[in-house]
């Protein structure tokens, strides 16, 4: 029987995923979910055939350059792979895989949750209840923003953007989207395509962000673009924090130009810009988009399917480098 491939698993993973890992690999697990510094990743990867990481533990050029020659693959437990330096991996001949598709629905659900929670002022509502400040139903209390007849702009019409369109349509939104190219109408729920995002922004009563983080999308939502949104817009981000310029969004939430924001992702996670914390019109969650058991299991199994393929000499389905 061939020896099992040696895998360094950088995060604690769901039980069912770890069970499969233990069965099929000689795995160095991380039961305490300890965060490893770069030097530790390099040291603990010695003699390993592969690494299984996640957005929490970046594998940058410095780490990749210093990895033992034994490491031939970096699999990430995520659809996003901006935390792995693909160019450095390619230069070393290291394969990189991700886990697309399996978290589309959970993330789109979360975008809708954030959209509604932010627009309907649910954080403020929770607060007055829990702090014993509720004085009873009032016709003018915590008036939020509805969905019916409002325009929702989707920035990035990939799998998750499309899943948001499917969910948002029955809420009564007029849908708009920007992507590099128009999609076949069957995929867009009748959303109106804008080749230039600058043309879409003034129409966005709501804007939801679903692009990957790339040099082009970093700080996409800056002060200039926020100014193009209609006054009182709602902004949702379940993609990556650095796509938003925090200073600009915080200023707009303070001035009311942006009425509310629902944010699941932040630049510099797990830290976030302290300016958000005091804002009652910012509905904040700690990167929970894919956090359902089914989804996290599916992500783990998809990562393992890729590793299984790689180590048995077949092309991994989700190879990104
Ligand atoms: C991903 O997979 O990239 C997500 O951000 C994790 O939910």
């Amino acid at each position: 029987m061939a020896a099992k491939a040696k895998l360094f698993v950088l995060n604690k993973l769901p039980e069912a995923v770890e069970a499969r890992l233990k069965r099929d690999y000689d795995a160095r697990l991380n039961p305490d979910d300890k965060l490893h510094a770069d030097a530790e990743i390099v040291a603990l990867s010695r003699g390993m055939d592969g690494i299984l990481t996640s957005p929490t533990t970046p594998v940058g050029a410095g780490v990749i350059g210093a990895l033992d020659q034994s490491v031939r693959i970096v699999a990430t437990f995520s659809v996003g792979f901006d935390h792995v330096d693909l160019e450095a991996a390619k230069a070393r001949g290291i394969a990189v895989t991700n886990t697309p598709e399996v978290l589309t629905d959970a993330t789109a659900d979360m975008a809708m949750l954030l959209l509604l929670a932010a627009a309907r002022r649910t954080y403020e509502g929770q607060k007055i209840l829990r702090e014993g400040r509720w004085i009873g139903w009032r016709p003018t209390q915590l008036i939020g923003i509805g969905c019916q007849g409002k325009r929702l702009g989707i920035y990035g019409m990939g799998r998750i953007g499309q899943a948001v369109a499917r969910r948002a349509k029955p809420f009564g939104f007029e849908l708009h989207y920007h992507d590099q190219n128009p999609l076949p109408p069957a995929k867009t729920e009748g959303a109106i395509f804008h080749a230039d995002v600058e043309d879409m922004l003034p129409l966005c009563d709501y804007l939801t962000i679903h692009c990957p983080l790339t040099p082009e999308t970093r700080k996409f939502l800056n002060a200039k673009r926020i100014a193009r949104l209609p006054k009182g817009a709602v902004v949702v981000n379940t993609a990556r924090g650095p796509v938003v310029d925090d200073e600009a969004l915080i200023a707009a939430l303070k001035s009311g130009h942006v009425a509310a924001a629902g944010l699941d992702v932040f630049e510099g996670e797990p830290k976030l810009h302290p300016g958000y914390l005091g804002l009652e019109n910012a509905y904040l969650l700690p990167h929970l988009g894919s956090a359902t058991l089914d989804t996290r299991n599916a992500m783990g199994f998809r990562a393992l399917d890729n590793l299984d393929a790689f180590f048995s000499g077949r092309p991994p389905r989700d190879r990104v480098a």
Side-chain angles (χ1 to χ4, degrees), residues 6 41 43 94 98 139 141 162 165 175 178 224 254 271 275-276 291 309 317:
K6 290 194 166 82
I41 299 175
I94 294 175
N98 71 338
Q141 191 176 49
Q162 291 167 40
L175 300 173
H178 167 77
K224 242 168 107 183
K254 280 187 178 154
K271 293 210 174 76
Y276 285 121
R317 178 174 174 190

Side-chain angles (χ1 to χ4, degrees), residues 170-298:
F171 279 82
F173 281 110
E174 177 183 296
L175 300 173
H176 295 256
Y177 75 101
H178 167 77
D179 210 310
Q180 280 164 355
N181 295 301
L183 273 80
K187 293 188 166 187
T188 61
E189 301 295 327
I192 298 159
F193 173 66
H194 298 269
D196 186 347
V197 71
E198 310 298 340
D199 296 337
M200 181 176 84
L201 293 172
L203 306 174
C204 295
D205 300 313
Y206 289 76
L207 173 69
T208 184
I209 297 174
H210 299 290
C211 61
L213 175 62
T214 64
E216 292 73 40
T217 63
R218 185 173 288 277
K219 301 266 186 280
F220 155 74
L221 195 62
N222 57 20
K224 242 168 107 183
R225 295 208 171 94
I226 289 174
R228 294 182 70 75
L229 294 171
K231 182 169 166 42
V234 176
V235 169
V236 172
N237 187 10
T238 53
R240 282 293 183 265
V243 176
V244 169
D245 178 335
D246 288 330
E247 295 281 348
L249 182 58
I250 288 164
L253 284 163
K254 280 187 178 154
S255 75
H257 185 73
V258 170
L263 306 174
D264 188 42
V265 286
F266 302 92
E267 171 135 46
E269 292 177 19
K271 293 210 174 76
L272 61 154
H273 193 300
Y276 285 121
L277 299 177
L279 291 177
E280 298 207 331
N281 54 351
Y283 190 91
L284 312 173
L285 290 177
H287 205 147
L288 295 179
S290 64
T292 72
L293 183 57
D294 289 345
T295 303
R296 290 284 164 87
N297 279 340

Side-chain angles (χ1 to χ4, degrees), residues 20-40:
R20 188 171 140 184
L21 263 167
K22 285 183 200 155
R23 188 192 65 193
D24 297 342
Y25 289 89
D26 181 355
R28 183 196 291 266
L29 299 178
N30 183 358
D32 301 322
D33 221 358
K34 183 174 173 306
L35 277 187
H36 296 293
D38 287 2
E40 264 180 312

Side-chain angles (χ1 to χ4, degrees), residues 55 77-80 99 103 107 238-240 265 287 289-290 296 299:
F77 185 106
S78 58
V79 62
T99 63
L103 43 64
T107 309
T238 53
R240 282 293 183 265
V265 286
H287 205 147
S290 64
R296 290 284 164 87
M299 291 166 76

Side-chain angles (χ1 to χ4, degrees), residues 48-117:
M48 295 285 157
D49 298 301
I51 292 178
L52 178 49
T53 191
S54 78
T56 299
T57 316
V59 182
V63 171
I64 291 176
L67 282 176
D68 198 4
Q69 292 297 333
S70 62
V71 177
R72 291 183 291 135
I73 181 165
V74 174
T76 182
F77 185 106
S78 58
V79 62
F81 45 83
D82 46 281
H83 54 287
V84 182
D85 193 310
L86 298 191
E87 291 314 312
K90 280 186 208 158
R92 284 280 311 261
I94 294 175
V96 181
T97 61
N98 71 338
T99 63
E101 294 164 8
V102 291
L103 43 64
T104 299
D105 287 319
T107 309
D109 290 348
M110 185 56 86
M112 292 306 292
L113 182 154
L114 289 170
L115 179 156
L116 292 168

